Amino acid sequence: MDELLKTIADRVIVGRAHAASPHPPELAGQPGVRELVEEAIAKGGDAQVILQQGLLAGMEVVGQRFRDCEIFIPDVLASCQAMRAGSELLRPLLQEGDASPRGKFIIGTVKGDLHDIGKNLVAMMLEGAGFEVIDLGTNVSAEKFIEIAREHPGVPIGLSALLSTTMASMQTTVKALLGADLPQAPVTVVGGAPVTQQFADEIGANGYAADASSAVDVVKRLVEQTAV
Ligand code: B1M
């Protein structure tokens, strides 16, 4: 299984989504992330392990290479497609288990920010924990968050930001939600690579989560607190 997980990570890095893909040409005819994840599942691999040690391990390297200017946006997009081909297969498995209905959860990536892989994982894990997720997508304005918060009073709202520049949008959005005339006070959870607990406290967010698994714990805790 270790070798298979390593190959999955390698195929995420080179952006090989599936066997029929022409990219990259030197791997023509060879399995992509989709087939390899199918194989790992068929061999009884744990969905969390495949996600962490296969897909996310690959994305970690992609992030380092992008930062070091060894690869460029088209390469990163190919890796994102490969990551998606695998995570879609894992989605139903990550949703098994403790999935008793727990209410709704709103999530979006803040205005100016197009990164959605982390946000999608958070949404997937919350669905897995029994939440009905309302996913607003990326580049979501403060006005849109307020509109949806008004339609769904008291439902916790997750904001994701991946750029240091869009942390300002996150701050603006939380401030706008707190200042909006909503039927119930908004409950916000923030996260994304540049976001920290300290920043969450500074902007008045109710919760911060460093990764998708801890987002589930934070949201559950906030829901319990608001129900008391
Ligand atoms: Co972008 N990008 N990118 N990029 N990109 C980063 C974020 C960057 C760190 C790369 C780098 O330079 N090292 C850098 C930001 C630097 C900074 O601001 N500090 C960067 C840049 C600069 C840019 C552009 C400006 C590049 C350019 O155009 N010159 C541009 C901006 C576009 C925009 O948004 N307006 C850009 C574009 C892109 C692509 C479109 C090519 C692509 C995004 C495709 C997509 O998402 N559909 C992309 C990608 C893929 C990355 C990297 C390589 C990977 C991000 C990722 O998906 N990671 C990234 C480098 C890196 O992060 N190391 C980078 C995997 C994902 C699972 O992790 O998103 O962190 P992450 O999510 C985690 C946690 O953060 C947390 O849980 C998740 C799962 O554990 N989490 C939450 C996330 N949201 C949460 C919400 C929560 C709780 C937890 O509660 C609600």
Side-chain angles (χ1 to χ4, degrees), residues 5-6 9 14 25-26 28 59 68 96-97 101 117 149 151 157 168 222 226:
L5 293 173
K6 193 181 167 304
V14 298
E26 64 274 18
M59 281 307 293
D68 297 341
E96 281 171 3
I117 296 179
E151 283 170 22
I157 305 164
L222 288 172
T226 25

Side-chain angles (χ1 to χ4, degrees), residues 8-9 11-18 32-34 37 50-52 54-60 62 75-91 94 116-122 124:
I8 292 172
R11 298 286 152 100
V12 169
I13 295 167
V14 298
R16 184 156 187 77
H18 54 82
V33 170
R34 187 195 291 159
V37 169
I50 301 170
L51 177 68
Q52 298 292 341
L55 301 178
L56 290 179
M59 281 307 293
E60 175 99 27
V62 172
D75 310 301
V76 177
L77 287 174
S79 294
C80 291
Q81 275 178 0
M83 160 91 198
R84 228 174 254 135
S87 58
E88 283 303 317
L89 292 170
L90 296 179
R91 180 187 285 266
L94 292 169
D116 68 355
I117 296 179
K119 184 262 300 165
N120 293 346
L121 279 180
V122 173
M124 212 183 263

Side-chain angles (χ1 to χ4, degrees), residues 173-188:
T173 306
V174 172
K175 195 171 169 204
L177 280 162
L178 288 169
D181 185 20
L182 295 172
Q184 239 177 290
V187 175
T188 52

Side-chain angles (χ1 to χ4, degrees), residues 44-67:
D46 180 79
Q48 271 294 348
V49 173
I50 301 170
L51 177 68
Q52 298 292 341
Q53 295 177 27
L55 301 178
L56 290 179
M59 281 307 293
E60 175 99 27
V61 176
V62 172
Q64 286 158 10
R65 292 190 182 171
F66 187 42
R67 187 190 53 230

Side-chain angles (χ1 to χ4, degrees), residues 107-115 119 136-146 158-174 176-177 191:
I107 191 165
T109 304
V110 298
K111 189 174 166 111
D113 203 320
L114 302 175
H115 296 85
K119 184 262 300 165
L136 306 179
T138 59
N139 192 24
V140 183
S141 66
E143 294 73 24
K144 183 70 187 173
F145 275 110
I146 291 171
L159 298 95
S160 177
L162 261 289
L163 299 170
S164 30
T165 48
T166 56
M167 287 168 77
S169 296
M170 184 174 260
Q171 179 163 24
T172 310
T173 306
V174 172
L177 280 162

